[in-house]
Amino acid sequence: MPAPGQSEAVELDVSGRTVRISSPDRVYFSARGETKLDLARYYLSVGDGIVRALRERPCMLHRFPRGVDGDKVHQKRLPPGAPAWIETVRVDFPSGRHADELCVTELASVIWAVQMSTVEFHPWNSRRVDVERPDEWRIDIDPMPECSFARVRRVAHAAHEVLDELGVVGWPKTSGGSGLHVYVRIEPRWGFGDVRRAALAFAREVEHRVPADATTTWWRKDRDPGKAFVDYNQNARDHTIASAYSVRGIKEGTVSAPVGWEELDDVVPRELTIATMSDRYARLGDLHAGIDETAFSLEPLLEWAQRDRLEVPGESD
């Protein structure tokens, strides 16, 4: 029996696995009152998309045991009590320590993580077949405090222009906050240091094209507060950002939502929430469904980096 004031647990059938959701009526998102069970049902509704975004990647979990108005737990190691079918991947750290992190291979492992109070999923940009060689390059357009979303859009369009000239396909999504991300599948031939160097070369080209809007200045205190930082450092080892379809840990329950390039001038990120995304997904499907079809080479960007003798600030890889 549940404790006084608590609701009965709910069992969900997830592709043949039973996942128990305890305290299903606990409010997780106070702006509209969505519950833990609502969160699980949201992830079920975008199942193919969230699994594609996380598949076989080491995944850090942002857990909110009392809902997003409460304390957040950054969980690298798999929480205790996992069923035998949950898969993990080992990652090692410079300290000599290691962690067995969640490795999503099926939707049931996502829903089990929700049972363990996970709201946000933050995967590595490499997969367990070789965690030291990323297969994903991440372009993070991160607005400074006085930067408008219109300016973020202009930086994203400039990034799209450069990608097109390189013959590279980028897959945009909202950050779930005030920024935008663009993901590119790359050949897993390079280590994190080279991926960061290539990302910096790309960011510098974007900055060159829209200098009034974009910055690559390393130290936050030195950045123009009205510009968008093209954050190449999100490609560093063990740096993670919320995946496509991940809910963010704020009371409005915004989602890091895939969008089409043609939507950028009209999209309103705060409207993409767990209250709206299920219907959007049912209408449009996974806008990142084709992301794994082609992997691109970083060689052109690494040639730019060599040409410009770029040194990555804070390089430690």
Side-chain angles (χ1 to χ4, degrees):
M1 293 291 292
Q6 290 186 348
S7 51
E8 293 278 359
V10 172
E11 290 188 344
L12 299 177
D13 179 19
V14 187
S15 302
R17 297 199 190 277
T18 300
V19 182
R20 181 177 181 271
I21 304 294
S22 61
S23 303
D25 293 337
R26 177 173 292 156
V27 173
Y28 266 42
F29 304 96
S30 59
R32 290 179 306 272
E34 288 96 350
T35 65
K36 184 179 182 181
L37 183 59
D38 291 327
L39 179 63
R41 287 174 171 159
Y42 159 74
Y43 279 120
L44 287 172
S45 75
V46 298
D48 288 347
I50 187 66
V51 171
R52 182 174 290 108
L54 301 176
R55 186 179 296 280
E56 297 195 351
R57 301 185 185 280
C59 189
M60 184 171 75
L61 310 175
H62 287 196
R63 298 173 56 233
F64 295 82
R66 293 291 172 185
V68 301
D69 290 339
D71 293 337
K72 175 166 65 174
V73 178
H74 292 258
Q75 187 94 36
K76 289 189 176 182
R77 291 165 178 82
L78 190 74
W85 48 265
I86 294 286
E87 299 190 37
T88 62
V89 56
R90 173 172 168 153
V91 294
D92 296 295
F93 303 111
S95 64
R97 302 181 69 188
H98 73 274
D100 294 312
E101 299 196 10
L102 176 68
C103 184
V104 169
T105 57
E106 59 179 302
L107 182 56
S109 53
V110 174
I111 305 306
W112 175 81
V114 172
Q115 158 57 15
M116 302 305 292
S117 69
T118 300
V119 172
E120 298 190 21
F121 293 84
H122 286 238
W124 283 41
N125 60 340
S126 59
R127 304 197 200 232
R128 66 177 173 185
V129 66
D130 188 346
V131 296
E132 300 303 330
R133 294 189 181 275
D135 75 332
E136 187 169 81
W137 158 35
R138 297 169 175 176
I139 303 164
D140 179 9
I141 304 171
D142 181 16
M144 294 298 98
E146 298 173 19
C147 178
S148 68
F149 194 66
R151 180 160 282 178
V152 171
R153 288 188 177 109
R154 290 196 292 270
V155 176
H157 283 306
H160 190 198
E161 178 181 89
V162 178
L163 289 172
D164 278 351
E165 292 173 11
L166 290 166
V168 170
V169 177
W171 302 83
K173 66 183 183 71
T174 65
S175 68
S178 54
L180 290 169
H181 302 152
V182 183
Y183 284 3
V184 176
R185 286 291 187 265
I186 58 173
E187 298 168 351
R189 295 165 47 195
W190 298 275
F192 292 97
D194 281 337
V195 177
R196 281 174 78 197
R197 198 167 292 108
L200 174 57
F202 179 87
R204 289 281 174 85
E205 179 62 22
V206 172
E207 180 183 34
H208 173 73
R209 297 194 186 199
V210 284
D213 300 316
T215 181
T216 60
T217 299
W218 173 251
W219 294 109
R220 186 180 182 90
K221 64 180 178 61
D222 296 331
R223 294 178 203 148
D224 184 329
K227 292 186 178 182
F229 177 45
V230 186
D231 189 357
Y232 50 89
N233 198 50
Q234 294 297 2
N235 296 280
R237 189 182 191 275
D238 197 27
H239 279 224
T240 61
I241 52 182
S243 75
Y245 298 106
S246 176
V247 182
R248 303 308 306 272
I250 60 175
K251 64 183 182 179
E252 293 82 8
T254 54
V255 172
S256 184
V259 294
W261 285 110
E262 71 283 357
E263 292 184 275
L264 282 190
D265 289 333
D266 300 312
V267 69
V268 180
R270 67 176 179 273
E271 294 178 354
L272 300 174
T273 71
I274 64 169
T276 63
M277 278 295 294
S278 295
D279 286 344
R280 175 180 166 88
Y281 193 91
R283 284 187 294 108
L284 302 179
D286 180 11
L287 296 185
H288 283 191
I291 194 170
D292 291 315
E293 292 176 2
T294 306
F296 296 92
S297 174
L298 289 179
E299 287 176 355
L301 291 174
L302 291 171
E303 290 171 2
W304 290 4
Q306 184 173 12
R307 176 198 66 194
D308 298 336
R309 299 181 180 180
L310 292 183
E311 297 291 335
V312 180
E315 185 73 81
S316 61
D317 294 326

